[in-house]
Amino acid sequence: MDCLFCKIIAGEIPSTKVYEDDKILAFRDIAPQAPTHILVIPKEHIGGVDELNAENSAVVAHIFAKIAEIAKAEGLKDGYRVVSNIGEHGCQSVRHLHFHILGGKQLGGEMV
Ligand code: DGP
């Protein structure tokens, strides 16, 4: 499968890792849109939120538990935003489930 984030998980493409365990990886976005911009992904290939189901969604709870820890470790005490883009209308550019952690400054009030 030709998936950019699977290649990052495999170490074939370098990344700046923030957190890793047997199920997930967190690494810094290559084109940060905020002072802190981290991507959190499952190691299992799931195309996006639209491919989640009862069998594969437990990893999302694990991801969100780690997002809270990562945000604390990054010093995002005043808040942050978690975003997952889905499909064409959502402007998803990499078809591997990922959650953006965006913070480190006052973010805009608009979501779109
Ligand atoms: P999205 O547009 O929601 O699918 O977000 C994909 C993100 O992935 C985007 O913010 C840029 C980031 N990205 C793309 N290629 C690479 C890469 O090779 N390394 C890293 N660290 N991030 C990447």
Side-chain angles (χ1 to χ4, degrees):
M1 187 185 303
D2 193 27
C3 170
L4 178 69
F5 286 176
C6 285
K7 287 179 182 164
I8 286 177
I9 291 163
E12 293 165 18
I13 294 174
S15 68
T16 305
K17 291 180 188 175
V18 173
Y19 175 81
E20 181 171 21
D21 62 28
D22 58 327
K23 292 189 173 57
I24 69 173
L25 174 66
F27 56 99
R28 298 199 187 277
D29 196 289
I30 203 168
Q33 296 188 36
T36 300
H37 188 169
I38 293 166
L39 301 172
V40 190
I41 66 176
K43 289 191 171 177
E44 176 189 355
H45 181 85
I46 299 169
V49 168
D50 53 338
E51 289 187 8
L52 287 169
N53 55 49
E55 279 69 49
N56 67 12
S57 58
V59 72
V60 176
H62 181 55
I63 283 173
F64 271 80
K66 289 300 169 187
I67 283 174
E69 287 182 17
I70 291 165
K72 280 195 190 85
E74 291 285 319
L76 303 179
K77 60 180 177 41
D78 296 323
Y80 54 95
R81 184 169 290 157
V82 178
V83 175
S84 190
N85 296 322
I86 300 135
E88 187 182 346
H89 279 196
C91 297
Q92 182 181 9
S93 60
V94 180
R95 274 301 287 174
H96 184 123
L97 178 66
H98 54 283
F99 296 90
H100 299 255
I101 304 173
L102 295 151
K105 70 171 187 180
Q106 176 63 57
L107 302 175
E110 302 288 327
M111 281 199 280
V112 293

